Amino acid sequence: MREFEQRKVERDKIEKILEAGRWAPSAKNRQPWKFIVIENKNTIRKIAECTIYKFVADVPLLIAVFLDKSEMVDRTKDVQAIGACIQNMLLAAHSLGLGSCWIGEILRRKEDVNRILDVPDDLELMAVIAIGYPVKKKRTSKRKSLSEIAYREKFGIPWR
Ligand SMILES: Cc1cc2nc3c(=O)[nH]c(=O)nc-3n(C[C@H](O)[C@H](O)[C@H](O)COP(=O)(O)O)c2cc1C
């Protein structure tokens, strides 16, 4: 979701979201993630300038998620672990009555984001998560049907 109230997210909720990320599975349990919690309006505005998604400027909380390259085992597995970590945080946010949006487009400007946040080169930006109380309105979403993506025993035999 991409429309948030201005209301601040409580510190204990931020902590619960970070905890959910911290407990994600990872290859060899290397936990190759680092998080930066961003609530400062000025910093949020600067980060928003690095993406075409202008709604980011009005979000009360951003969490930047980095891959710590000094903890890498295998890039594919480490990136998968970061995906699990981010999804954990999105689900935790939802369970706390918050809305969130995974911003990947900003990776085009990941070096600029590192500069804004004083982040060293061995941390690679994986995503910025926008979090806040959702503006209440009806939202729809769609997905491919199971018959388009799931098979029985061998590829090509439809699940149903
Ligand atoms: C890796 C990844 C990158 C994404 N990047 C963006 C993004 O830059 N901007 C955005 O608004 N949504 C982004 N999303 C959210 C997707 O657009 C969204 O999950 C998808 O359209 C399905 O919508 P739903 O999750 O609300 O059902 C991203 C999601 C993923 C997993």
Side-chain angles (χ1 to χ4, degrees), residues 12-27:
D12 66 307
K13 291 195 176 184
I14 300 175
E15 182 103 10
K16 285 187 173 122
I17 292 167
L18 296 172
E19 278 292 326
R22 184 168 81 87
W23 278 98
S26 60

Side-chain angles (χ1 to χ4, degrees), residues 14-79:
I14 300 175
E15 182 103 10
K16 285 187 173 122
I17 292 167
L18 296 172
E19 278 292 326
R22 184 168 81 87
W23 278 98
S26 60
K28 299 247 161 74
N29 200 18
R30 292 294 285 269
Q31 305 161 61
W33 38 70
K34 292 281 184 291
F35 311 127
I36 299 186
V37 176
I38 307 156
E39 295 182 279
N40 179 284
K41 285 261 162 253
N42 206 29
T43 312
I44 290 176
R45 191 181 43 74
K46 283 192 204 154
I47 300 278
E49 282 167 11
C50 298
T51 169
I52 58 168
Y53 290 96
K54 293 305 166 205
F55 76 89
V56 172
D58 299 316
V59 170
L61 168 66
L62 300 176
I63 300 180
V65 181
F66 297 86
L67 170 64
D68 183 346
K69 291 192 267 186
S70 69
E71 292 290 355
M72 271 174 62
V73 175
D74 168 286
R75 187 171 168 91
T76 302
K77 292 179 194 174
D78 295 323
V79 171

Side-chain angles (χ1 to χ4, degrees), residues 128-160:
V128 171
I129 312 173
I131 302 173
Y133 285 94
V135 168
K136 286 191 180 62
K137 71 172 207 188
K138 199 169 152 33
R139 293 188 173 81
T140 57
S141 192
K142 53 183 192 225
R143 294 291 187 270
K144 291 174 186 169
S145 67
L146 276 184
S147 59
E148 290 172 276
I149 59 169
Y151 305 96
R152 187 184 297 282
E153 307 296 344
K154 289 201 172 168
F155 184 77
I157 305 171
W159 166 249
R160 64 173 152 83

Side-chain angles (χ1 to χ4, degrees), residues 1-2 51 53 55 101-106 126 140-143:
M1 53 136 302
R2 299 173 183 86
T51 169
Y53 290 96
F55 76 89
C101 188
W102 180 327
I103 311 292
E105 191 278 334
I106 200 165
M126 291 281 117
T140 57
S141 192
K142 53 183 192 225
R143 294 291 187 270

